[in-house]
Amino acid sequence: MSDALIQLAQALADGSVKVVDLTHTLDPDFPVIILPPEFGQCARFRMEEISAYDHRGPAWKWHNITMSEHTGTHFDAPNHWISGRDVPLNAVDEIPVDMFVGPVVVIDCSAEATEDEDFTMDPDFIRAWEDQHGRIPEDAWVLMRTDWSKRSGAPYLNMREDGAHSPGPSGDGIRFLVEERNIRGFGTETVGTDAGQGMHLSPPYPAHFTLHGAGKYGLQCLSNLDQLPPTGAVLMAAPLKIKNGTGSPLRVLAMVGKDAT
Ligand code: MN
């Protein structure tokens, strides 16, 4: 065993590194994205009892579950978007597993998203964050904190006649992260990696288009981002190994140094 792993195990045991859960509970009431009615729709989580220590199975309890690949806290693979259709290793079962553990930075947009629910994060905002916290390291996850995960029910999707209203990156903002910072992936607290009105940005749905076209990953419906430091945490996000899968619900965890926040 390497010294680094011995030290990590000790730090986890003595509490100087803690594990933070960034995952919402899978629950039939948790909202899923709603597309315009002409498109196919994503299914909510459903759970059906097989037996519960009864005549169907006297000593055991278990459930059948159904959901879409993009239900609840979930991972987006490059093949989720047309721009990533021909990217190598673009399905959840093909992604190299070292991509599932890595450094993470958190850009706090919670004040701006509270002020303006259609807030979009642009390169100037990201550069201002870097002036305070240092340059975003290469191959890191970047999470956009908005405190949106504290909403529940209708205000979470925040649907109006013209669609959803929720924050996300601007087209230039996500291009900056992908092209200038070569991030590994981008995560949000909202139901998608794009802003609710992302179809009106250029290109439409710029986070999906740009990230996946460049072979980068997405995470959405994250929670507890307010428990992470701006830099220095390690993210663990391993999607289910679904053959040719475009995404998957998953448990997202972060390892955080005790005094980091
Ligand atoms: Mn998705």
Side-chain angles (χ1 to χ4, degrees):
M1 198 159 150
S2 76
D3 288 352
L5 284 178
I6 291 167
Q7 281 168 13
L8 175 60
Q10 279 169 351
L12 288 163
D14 70 21
S16 55
V17 169
K18 60 183 179 167
V19 179
V20 178
D21 190 357
L22 307 184
T23 321
H24 282 287
T25 303
L26 277 172
D27 175 316
D29 292 332
F30 193 80
V32 295
I33 198 164
I34 299 170
L35 299 182
E38 63 268 31
F39 297 123
Q41 302 292 333
C42 169
R44 287 186 180 223
F45 177 74
R46 292 272 180 270
M47 192 164 79
E48 164 202 272
E49 203 170 77
I50 306 172
S51 71
Y53 330 117
D54 54 22
H55 68 282
R56 298 168 300 173
W60 51 91
K61 177 176 175 175
W62 51 351
H63 302 103
N64 285 319
I65 57 173
T66 57
M67 72 199 94
S68 89
E69 295 169 325
H70 297 260
T71 298
T73 301
H74 72 275
F75 186 102
D76 282 1
N79 67 346
H80 179 42
W81 217 253
I82 193 164
S83 54
R85 187 168 58 177
D86 299 319
V87 166
L89 307 178
N90 62 1
V92 282
D93 60 318
E94 300 172 335
I95 296 169
V97 292
D98 17 332
M99 292 293 105
F100 301 152
V101 182
V104 59
V105 306
V106 181
I107 302 181
D108 184 0
C109 305
S110 57
E112 291 74 16
T114 301
E115 180 81 11
D116 173 10
E117 50 194 23
D118 292 310
F119 172 73
T120 55
M121 184 175 74
D122 62 21
D124 284 346
F125 192 91
I126 300 166
R127 283 198 200 90
W129 181 93
E130 287 187 324
D131 287 343
Q132 268 196 297
H133 302 289
R135 187 182 166 101
I136 295 168
E138 182 125 347
D139 199 26
W141 280 100
V142 173
L143 306 184
M144 180 177 173
R145 175 184 162 196
T146 55
D147 287 349
W148 215 257
S149 59
K150 296 175 181 173
R151 295 178 172 223
S152 60
Y156 185 71
L157 293 183
N158 206 25
M159 294 294 288
R160 299 206 205 116
E161 273 184 21
D162 61 350
H165 288 266
S166 56
S170 71
D172 288 339
I174 196 69
R175 271 193 297 278
F176 177 80
L177 291 174
V178 169
E179 293 169 12
E180 309 290 329
R181 294 296 179 264
N182 195 23
I183 61 169
R184 178 178 300 187
F186 178 75
T188 63
E189 293 181 55
T190 54
V191 78
T193 50
D194 272 297
Q197 293 288 298
M199 75 291 251
H200 301 303
L201 298 176
S202 175
Y205 304 108
H208 285 87
F209 189 86
T210 308
L211 286 167
H212 303 322
K216 313 298 189 188
Y217 314 117
L219 285 169
Q220 48 259 282
C221 307
L222 295 169
S223 71
N224 293 329
L225 296 191
D226 56 350
Q227 295 180 33
L228 300 188
T231 64
V234 172
L235 191 80
M236 291 172 285
L240 297 176
K241 201 169 181 179
I242 301 167
K243 187 157 182 75
N244 295 322
T246 71
S248 138
L250 77 173
R251 195 77 179 249
V252 183
L253 304 174
M255 289 191 289
V256 179
K258 195 168 86 185
D259 300 317
T261 45

